[in-house]
């Protein structure tokens, strides 16, 4: 019966429960992107509300902290919730992460008191908590979707979950534009608008709680994944849950005879389960974990440095004289929306369409290559041309870096860790990979923020920034990092397309626990050594 449960999931035709899982998991990533990236235009409002004595220019240290504090929380959230997802179950932790996300989104908007120091401190604290909940959503969403999906379109399903980030970025920009436009029309000319500005940015942040709360009921009623239940030896429950999902080819078997009536394949003796810090894991999956974590770290350096500082890169398009705070913030959000519609969202959906055709490894290499090409193309003439001309070709080239990031490593680094590791360690390893990525995001955010400043001391003296290495050198470094990601992917990243999760986790090094045969349609069928003592029932092994 364990074989038949897994085969039923792997060979299931696409149906309603797949799309329901995409919506449930995808709404989490939608909210993640909204909460994470709406801070860019919100900072404009905060600066004009609490730093009027500096003409709205927030000190560099404060900007840096506000940008990275959520990323620091994400590192903690991915490590913690990833491990808990394997230890106490995906579904239970998934619901808690959602509640945590909704509450921290609301609290970010309230940000107690109204003095500058208190507001900034409380906002950073609640953004840190929000980052923990966002980080926790990553490994759980990817793992749950991978374990519900069939193997033929698994990549597209997981990519569809992740593509909701693009819609989240667009929604954040749209809400910001709507709020600022409404306030701009409501205020009277020459009136004091500081109170209105203070209400506006709080409202934008609090709106992030709405999409997550809409899926709370579905998250709490969704079943635990069958693969985790099989590890717990709860075969009757796994069988019933899979049968209730939809139209799957799974006969009714008496729970007392579920290990009888076997197919011609042989149930082979399984090796003892091993933990995350065991020599066996290091031997069989150490290279894979390094490849996933390193690739995610590398891609997040250019991705987050570019995304969080679009207004800095495109300053000539968004900075206009004699505009009020609402108009300035509206311009920043409009730029975010244009980039999302023209490059970010198309990149995500191109990945959804192509991931199961091209393959994860090739798509990741393709994305890294073209990201490097376009970053180098921007870097070369930046100081001599782009810096002094508001040319639309700059936006086209820069938009293409976002397209190939999403049609490439930004999507594949989310997918591969969810397919490559043993079920009892899958969420943990995805969390470790994602946490490495957010370390890269912190490096990229802080590094780009400071390094891209003008080399001249005179140009930075008025706004508090120290001289950097300039935009040209910063873009060259980002392009070089993408080349490093291409090389690493070529040598270390395996292909997981079209294979069952059990085959991916055991293909090379566990011949005694797995046997592969083909059915009448020449499709791969996996026989597991499922009679192993449960690592969850006996003792949690992921820390050994």
């Amino acid at each position: 019966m364990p074989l038949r449960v897994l085969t039923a999931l792997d060979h299931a035709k696409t149906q309603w429960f797949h799309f329901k899982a995409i919506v449930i998991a995808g709404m989490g990533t939608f909210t993640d992107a909204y909460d994470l990236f709406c801070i860019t235009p919100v900072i404009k409002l905060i600066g004009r509300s609490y730093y009027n004595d500096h003409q709205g220019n927030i000190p560099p240290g404060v900007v840096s902290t506000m940008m990275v504090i959520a990323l620091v929380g994400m590192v903690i959230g991915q490590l913690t919730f990833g491990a808990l997802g394997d230890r106490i179950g995906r579904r239970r932790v998934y619901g808690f992460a959602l509640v945590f996300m909704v509450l921290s989104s609301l609290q970010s908007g309230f940000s107690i008191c109204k003095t500058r120091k208190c507001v900034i401190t409380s906002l950073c604290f609640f953004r840190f908590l929000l980052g923990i909940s966002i980080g926790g959503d990553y490994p759980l969403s990817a793992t749950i979707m991978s374990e519900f999906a069939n193997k033929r379109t698994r990549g597209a399903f997981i990519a569809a979950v992740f593509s909701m980030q693009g819609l989240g970025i667009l929604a954040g920009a749209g809400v910001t534009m709507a709020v600022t436009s409404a306030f701009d029309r409501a205020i009277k000319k020459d009136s004091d608008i500081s109170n209105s500005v203070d209400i506006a940015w709080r409202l934008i942040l609090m709106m992030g709680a709405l999409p997550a709360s809409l899926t709370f009921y579905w998250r709490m009623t969704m079943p635990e994944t069958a693969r985790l239940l099989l590890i717990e030896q709860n075969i009757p429950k796994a069988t019933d849950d899979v049968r209730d999902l939809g139209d799957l080819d799974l006969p009714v078997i008496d729970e007392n005879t579920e290990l009888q009536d076997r197919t011609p394949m042989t149930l082979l003796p399984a090796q003892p389960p091993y933990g995350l810090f065991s020599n066996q894991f290091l031997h069989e999956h150490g290279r894979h974990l390094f490849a996933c974590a390193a690739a995610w770290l590398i891609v997040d350096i250019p991705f987050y440095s570019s995304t969080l500082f679009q207004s800095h890169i495109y300053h000539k398009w968004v900075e206009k004289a004699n505009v009020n705070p609402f108009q300035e913030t509206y311009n920043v959000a409009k730029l975010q929306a244009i980039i999302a519609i023209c490059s970010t969202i198309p990149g995500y959906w191109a990945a959804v369409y192509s991931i199961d055709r091209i393959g994860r490894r090739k798509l990741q290499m393709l994305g890294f290559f073209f990201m490097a090409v376009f970053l180098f193309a921007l870097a070369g003439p930046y100081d001599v041309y782009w810096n002094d001309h508001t040319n639309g070709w700059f936006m086209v080239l820069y938009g293409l870096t976002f397209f190939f990031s999403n049609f490439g490593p930004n999507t594949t680094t989310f997918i591969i860790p969810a397919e490559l590791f043993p079920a009892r360690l899958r969420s943990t390893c995805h969390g470790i990979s994602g946490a490495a990525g957010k370390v890269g995001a912190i490096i990229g955010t802080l590094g780009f923020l400071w390094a891209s400043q003008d080399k001249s001391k005179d140009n930075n003296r008025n706004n508090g920034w120290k001289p950097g290495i300039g935009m040209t050198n910063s873009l060259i470094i980002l392009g070089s990092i993408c080349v490093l990601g291409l090389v690493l992917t070529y040598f270390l990243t395996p292909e997981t397309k079209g294979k069952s999760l059990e085959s991916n986790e055991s293909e090379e090094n566990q011949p005694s626990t797995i046997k592969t045969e083909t059915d009448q349609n020449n499709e791969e069928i996996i026989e597991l050594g499922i009679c192993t003592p449960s690592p969850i029932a006996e003792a949690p092994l992921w820390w050994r």
Side-chain angles (χ1 to χ4, degrees):
M1 178 55 73
L3 166 66
R4 296 190 179 188
V5 170
L6 297 177
T7 302
L9 288 170
D10 282 342
H11 293 204
K13 62 182 181 181
T14 301
Q15 50 195 290
W16 165 242
F17 80 87
H18 289 127
F19 293 107
K20 184 177 179 180
I22 290 173
V23 171
I24 296 173
M27 195 54 66
T29 56
F30 176 98
T31 307
D32 297 347
Y34 179 101
D35 290 331
L36 197 59
F37 295 113
C38 71
I39 193 64
T40 301
V42 162
I43 281 180
K44 293 290 184 181
L45 292 174
I46 293 175
R48 297 288 285 269
S49 180
Y50 293 99
Y51 290 88
N52 284 329
D53 51 335
H54 295 89
Q55 291 77 48
N57 292 322
I58 303 177
V62 177
V63 174
S64 302
T65 302
M66 292 176 66
M67 286 291 188
V68 305
I69 194 67
L71 298 175
V72 174
M74 289 183 71
V75 173
I76 297 173
Q78 286 175 316
L79 293 173
T80 304
F81 282 83
L84 290 175
D86 286 328
R87 188 178 183 186
I88 65 177
R90 285 81 154 114
R91 186 188 67 84
R92 187 182 305 173
V93 180
Y94 208 29
F96 177 73
L98 185 72
V99 173
F100 198 5
M101 189 186 303
V102 171
L103 294 178
S104 53
S105 294
L106 293 174
Q107 291 298 326
S108 295
F110 282 115
S111 293
I112 55 176
C113 59
K114 296 189 68 173
T115 63
R116 176 196 298 174
K117 183 177 181 180
C118 185
V119 166
I120 298 301
T121 301
S122 60
L123 176 60
C124 289
F125 173 73
F126 291 123
R127 292 281 296 174
F128 172 74
L129 296 181
L130 179 62
I132 293 177
S133 64
I134 292 174
D137 197 74
Y138 271 60
L140 297 171
S141 294
T143 300
I144 287 173
M145 192 66 249
S146 71
E147 293 182 345
F148 275 126
N150 62 61
K151 65 181 181 180
R152 183 175 56 85
T153 57
R154 184 178 60 236
F157 289 157
I158 306 175
V161 169
F162 195 61
S163 71
M164 295 295 286
Q165 276 199 343
L167 298 179
I169 294 173
L170 180 60
V175 169
T176 302
M177 292 169 64
V179 171
T180 53
S181 179
F183 274 89
D184 186 36
R185 293 184 179 185
I187 61 173
K188 296 180 180 179
K189 191 174 182 179
D190 299 326
S191 63
D192 181 11
I193 63 173
S194 58
N195 289 333
S196 298
V197 171
D198 196 49
I199 295 173
W201 71 260
R202 295 172 186 273
L203 183 61
I204 292 169
L205 293 180
M206 293 172 67
M207 289 292 288
L210 181 60
S213 61
L214 294 177
T215 58
F216 177 74
Y217 174 78
W218 274 6
R219 281 206 184 188
M220 297 307 297
T221 56
M222 69 184 301
E224 183 57 86
T225 67
R227 285 178 164 91
L228 189 66
L229 291 173
L230 291 177
I231 291 175
E232 295 175 337
Q233 295 292 294
N234 195 346
I235 299 173
K237 175 65 174 174
T239 305
D240 291 341
D241 285 351
V242 168
R243 187 179 294 112
D244 291 340
L245 288 176
D247 182 19
L248 282 81
D249 183 17
L250 192 65
V252 177
I253 302 291
D254 190 323
E255 65 179 48
N256 296 318
T257 60
E258 71 271 0
L259 292 179
Q260 300 176 9
D261 191 25
R262 294 226 153 261
T263 63
M265 290 162 284
T266 307
L267 185 61
L268 300 176
Q271 296 176 357
Y274 53 86
L276 179 65
F277 300 113
S278 66
N279 290 332
Q280 187 175 350
F281 179 87
L282 181 64
H283 174 69
E284 298 184 4
H285 295 290
R287 189 191 74 170
H288 296 160
L289 184 57
F290 174 79
C292 292
W296 207 329
L297 183 148
I298 289 171
V299 71
D300 272 5
I301 293 176
F303 181 78
Y304 276 84
S305 63
S306 303
T307 302
L308 290 175
F309 293 101
Q310 286 177 3
S311 60
H312 175 71
I313 294 170
Y314 292 112
H315 61 90
K316 293 186 181 297
W317 282 271
V318 299
E319 291 182 1
K320 297 181 180 180
N322 301 320
V323 296
N324 64 34
F326 298 121
Q327 294 167 349
E328 182 183 19
T329 306
Y330 182 93
N331 290 335
V332 175
K334 182 172 68 173
L335 176 65
Q336 279 190 324
I338 292 172
I339 295 298
I341 292 172
C342 295
S343 64
T344 304
I345 294 175
Y348 280 123
W349 285 102
V352 172
Y353 177 79
S354 304
I355 188 72
D356 289 311
R357 293 172 171 83
I358 298 176
R360 287 71 157 145
R361 181 172 176 269
K362 290 181 180 179
L363 192 63
Q364 186 163 300
M365 293 171 62
L366 178 73
F368 272 129
F369 174 78
F370 280 105
M371 286 176 68
V373 168
F374 291 115
L375 286 169
F376 288 141
L378 289 170
Y382 187 86
D383 286 338
V384 298
Y385 187 76
W386 299 126
N387 196 33
D388 298 321
H389 297 79
T390 55
N391 192 305
W393 283 109
F394 180 89
M395 295 187 69
V396 171
L397 291 174
Y398 209 78
L400 286 171
T401 66
F402 285 104
F403 177 86
F404 282 102
S405 173
N406 297 319
F407 182 56
N410 192 45
T411 298
T412 56
T413 52
F414 182 80
I415 294 173
I416 295 174
E419 299 181 314
L420 201 55
F421 299 100
R424 65 180 179 279
L425 299 171
R426 185 170 292 133
S427 178
T428 300
C429 291
H430 195 286
I432 293 172
S433 302
K438 293 308 160 281
V439 171
I442 294 170
I443 295 171
T445 300
L446 289 178
F448 185 83
L449 177 61
W450 290 87
S452 62
Q453 299 300 318
D454 197 280
K455 300 177 184 178
S456 172
K457 293 182 179 180
D458 294 335
N459 292 340
N460 293 278
R461 185 175 297 163
N462 294 331
N463 58 23
W465 296 98
K466 294 182 179 180
I469 62 176
M471 185 67 76
T472 294
N473 292 330
S474 298
L475 292 173
I476 290 174
I477 291 174
L478 293 181
S480 301
I481 290 172
C482 292
V483 173
L484 177 62
L486 170 63
V487 174
L488 181 143
T489 301
Y490 179 80
F491 285 105
L492 296 180
T493 302
E495 182 55 71
T496 58
K497 180 186 74 170
K499 303 173 184 176
S500 71
L501 296 178
E502 289 67 39
S503 178
N504 283 329
E505 75 182 52
S506 306
E507 182 177 288
E508 295 180 1
N509 299 304
Q510 298 184 55
S512 63
T513 64
I514 200 162
K515 186 173 182 179
T516 303
E517 295 194 9
T518 57
D519 63 5
Q520 62 271 20
N521 296 318
N522 291 322
E523 290 188 288
E524 181 186 45
I525 290 182
I526 301 301
E527 177 70 72
L528 288 177
I530 202 70
C531 297
T532 301
S534 168
I536 294 181
E538 293 191 352
L541 297 174
W542 47 266
W543 65 73
R544 291 185 183 178

